[in-house]
Amino acid sequence: MPTSAQRYFTPALFQFMRELQLNNDREWFNENKHRYIKDMKEPALAFILDFGQHLDRISPHFRADPRANGGSLFRIYRDVRFAKDKSPYKTNAAAVFEHRDGREAHGPAFYVSLAPHEVEVGGGIWHPEPEPLQRIRSSIAARPAPWKKALASPGMKRLTWWG
């Protein structure tokens, strides 16, 4: 298992994902599944396991689940049932670190995604239900200064719903 000084993800991960973008079909994937496991899945699970130790220091309420299935690591398989794009595989490596009391996608979480030419890291709550949403809004309204400070920070990328 890598130590904190070693890299989890190597250029081979990004090469695999670039090739998958060009060959996003079952035949190619099955021929290259060993690369997916060696270059993407195993390093991601090692990262999740090690990150869990740091996550406990940030907050004891979040969890890093290093299970290969059903844990923090997102599946590579896309749900294409209702999608225009029928590509069967995701072309990024992603993990979510959910709140222990969260309700899967609707609870607070930290998120990380790696793709060729793109790294995303974030935290928050996605599509909260009405009661938690009202508590979030009330908290921001009661103490707007920390929220405004976070929004004004140099690292904050401002996104709008219209693009």
Side-chain angles (χ1 to χ4, degrees):
M1 179 178 319
T3 66
S4 61
Q6 293 176 308
R7 293 185 299 184
Y8 293 91
F9 305 105
T10 68
L13 164 74
F14 299 101
Q15 181 62 38
F16 171 79
M17 288 189 282
R18 279 191 294 276
E19 291 177 33
L20 180 58
Q21 287 174 339
L22 298 172
N23 304 285
N24 201 323
D25 61 67
R26 284 175 176 74
E27 183 180 344
W28 185 91
F29 185 80
N30 287 337
E31 290 172 6
N32 290 276
K33 191 168 184 178
H34 66 283
R35 293 175 58 205
Y36 159 70
I37 293 168
K38 178 177 71 85
D39 298 329
M40 189 169 162
K41 188 173 186 176
E42 288 176 352
L45 293 173
F47 169 78
I48 291 165
L49 179 66
D50 287 354
F51 185 70
Q53 299 167 19
H54 301 286
L55 192 58
D56 282 341
R57 289 186 291 183
I58 295 168
S59 171
H61 303 291
F62 289 86
R63 61 185 174 88
D65 185 342
R67 290 181 295 158
N69 298 302
S72 293
L73 183 64
F74 278 65
R75 299 168 15 125
I76 193 161
Y77 306 101
R78 292 183 63 241
D79 182 354
V80 298
R81 292 174 295 173
F82 307 107
K84 287 182 182 179
D85 176 4
K86 298 297 184 184
S87 302
Y89 304 103
K90 297 175 186 173
T91 56
N92 68 318
V96 65
F97 304 98
E98 297 172 327
H99 192 277
R100 289 188 172 124
D101 295 333
R103 293 183 36 198
E104 296 185 10
H106 298 288
F110 296 108
Y111 174 81
V112 62
S113 173
L114 303 171
H117 309 291
E118 182 178 271
V119 174
E120 294 178 327
V121 178
I125 188 167
W126 183 75
H127 289 268
E129 293 180 359
E131 184 181 332
L133 178 59
Q134 185 56 44
R135 288 197 322 258
I136 292 166
R137 289 176 173 167
S138 295
S139 178
I140 292 170
R143 296 183 55 233
W147 179 250
K148 289 178 181 178
K149 182 179 178 183
L151 289 177
S153 67
M156 177 61 76
K157 180 178 180 181
R158 295 174 194 241
L159 298 174
T160 59
W161 63 271
W162 58 85

